[in-house]
Structure formats: C-alpha cells, structure tokens
Amino acid sequence: GESVGLHLPTLSVQEGDNSIINCAYSNSASDYFIWYKQESGKGPQFIIDIRSNMDKRQGQRVTVLLNKTVKHLSLQIAATQPGDSAVYFCAENDSGAGSYQLTFGKGTKLSVIP
Amino acid sequence: DVKVTQSSRYLVKRTGEKVFLECVQDMDHENMFWYRQDPGLGLRLIYFSYDVKMKEKGDIPEGYSVSREKKERFSLILESASTNQTSMYLCASRVQGAVSNQPQHFGDGTRLSIL
C-alpha cells in the first residue's frame, strides 16, 4: 500500500496537464516492455505494452515511447486526472532468453495536484 | 477482464508457523508467478510455474515452496515463517502466448506480517 511509494522519485503534475514518466532499462536484448500502475493498497495494474519492433504505441490517454538506442522507455499520460495518482513502473523481458520473467523498475510516484 | 484473486488481503502469523498463501485466476492462464514487494527493493520473483505441476525457482526462493495442483490455483508456502518474510506478496498470471509475449496480470496482494 502506502509503503510502496517510499524512497521513490516523485512527479507532481497539475490536474489537466500532461505527465511524462521515464524508465531506463539495462538489457539491450530486451524486446518486450510493459507499464504498470499501482494504486495504494492494490496490486499492479497493466496499462500498456510495447514490443521492440515498434517505437510508439498509443492507448486511451496514454502513449508509450521506446528508444532502443539509449535504452529508454517513457509513459505519457494526457490530461492527467486525480485518479492517475499512483506509482508507475516499467518492466522488461528478453524473450530470446527463453524465459518470460520480467525485470521491474523501482517505480515513480505520480501525484496529481487538483 | 482478467481476475486474479488472492485469498487474504491481510494476514498475521507467528514465527515458526507454516503459512499458506493462495492465488486463483479465472482466465485459464498457463503461467503463474509469486512475488514479494518491499520498499526500496521493488518486485522480486520468488517462484513461478509454467503449467500444472511445474515450478521454477525465481530470484529469492529460499524459505518458500509452491504448489500447482490445478491450473487455476498457485499456492505459496512459507515452511517456517520468519520475521524477514514480513512483506507484501503478489500473485500474477499470464497466458502463454504461442507467438508473442504477453503481460502478467496481478492480484491485489496479501500483506503478511510475521510476529
């Protein structure tokens, strides 16, 4: 619950503005990436995924950008709402390694200012 | 929608007890996972299962075991609970995509306290 958010980078955004949450990954062989949202007291919720043959994918109010050159992933949330307040973290997988284990980032706490 | 249900939201047990955490998914997913989540450490994989009766160690299996007798149910067992196993435990499931990778879907977690 609340303890998930301790010691995490925090992003504060005004309601209605766009949010950009960043994630650097380490394995250049990773070819599948996921963004999760975790609200206080709940489990991680799948938001959007992207495969390495793409550099951009859009969902409802969210866009994920993938830059394989610099091993960087970002999640853009349009018109941020109070309900978007949560911890967001990325996850990566190297399908070629023959495993479906995910490597998770530590997360970023998004706080939306009403 | 995928539904992953963990039997308890909060659990308090004593040192030395044998503890069972249960997880059920209703989407006929082949793969299931158990994680623990601790502040500053993120999610760490304890055990996972590719299918019924199969199990694989994750990154931190010591002190834990698992059981997968039915496809929909994956149990995590703390053989002799210790205080350092106080944590948030998360179960996840995933369809085994024939062609492409697929996301894991999580339950809401069990917050376990060992006294």
Side-chain angles (χ1 to χ4, degrees):
Chain A
E2 287 297 332
S3 63
V4 169
L6 290 177
H7 313 300
L8 293 177
T10 299
L11 176 66
S12 295
V13 175
Q14 203 74 36
E15 181 179 357
D17 287 351
N18 297 334
S19 303
I20 300 176
I21 301 169
N22 297 304
C23 177
Y25 64 94
S26 55
N27 185 359
S28 57
S30 290
D31 58 358
Y32 179 64
F33 305 87
I34 308 173
W35 278 101
Y36 286 97
K37 171 188 180 182
Q38 188 171 21
E39 297 175 87
S40 180
K42 294 188 176 181
Q45 176 188 357
F46 169 73
I47 302 173
I48 192 168
D49 58 1
I50 188 168
R51 293 173 175 81
S52 59
N53 59 352
M54 303 172 70
D55 52 20
K56 179 179 179 179
R57 191 170 186 219
Q58 289 185 287
Q60 188 176 13
R61 276 202 310 120
V62 295
T63 301
V64 55
L65 298 177
L66 174 62
N67 185 329
K68 295 182 286 294
T69 303
V70 295
K71 293 187 286 187
H72 184 267
L73 194 66
S74 68
L75 177 71
Q76 300 178 3
I77 304 173
T80 312
Q81 302 168 1
D84 295 327
S85 293
V87 173
Y88 291 81
F89 51 92
C90 62
E92 62 182 291
N93 174 254
D94 171 11
S95 305
S99 168
Y100 295 118
Q101 293 184 61
L102 294 174
T103 301
F104 292 89
K106 296 292 192 291
T108 296
K109 185 175 183 179
L110 176 64
S111 294
V112 181
I113 305 162
Chain B
D1 277 355
V2 176
K3 185 69 173 176
V4 179
T5 303
Q6 295 184 231
S7 55
S8 304
R9 292 299 304 275
Y10 301 94
L11 209 53
V12 180
K13 296 290 182 181
R14 296 203 173 274
T15 303
E17 281 192 69
K18 191 168 185 176
V19 181
F20 294 84
L21 302 183
E22 305 288 346
C23 175
V24 176
Q25 48 91 7
D26 65 357
M27 290 302 293
D28 202 36
H29 285 174
E30 291 82 6
N31 307 156
M32 296 188 75
F33 306 80
W34 273 107
Y35 296 88
R36 61 178 286 176
Q37 186 176 35
D38 301 287
L41 298 177
L43 276 85
R44 292 181 292 166
L45 181 64
I46 304 171
Y47 264 97
F48 61 102
S49 169
Y50 281 125
D51 212 329
V52 179
K53 305 254 187 213
M54 298 175 68
K55 59 184 179 183
E56 298 282 343
K57 291 181 180 179
D59 299 320
I60 51 164
E62 296 79 18
Y64 303 94
S65 62
V66 289
S67 173
R68 185 117 182 254
E69 295 297 316
K70 293 184 178 181
K71 192 173 187 179
E72 67 270 19
R73 185 181 297 270
F74 192 34
S75 303
L76 180 69
I77 304 153
L78 284 66
E79 297 291 344
S80 177
S82 63
T83 54
N84 63 9
Q85 292 178 310
T86 291
S87 186
M88 169 71 89
Y89 288 87
L90 291 161
C91 174
S93 75
R94 173 190 172 278
V95 65
Q96 177 117 0
V99 175
S100 61
N101 216 328
Q102 299 293 326
Q104 293 180 23
H105 297 272
F106 286 83
D108 277 337
T110 295
R111 186 165 291 284
L112 176 65
S113 296
I114 306 296
L115 305 179

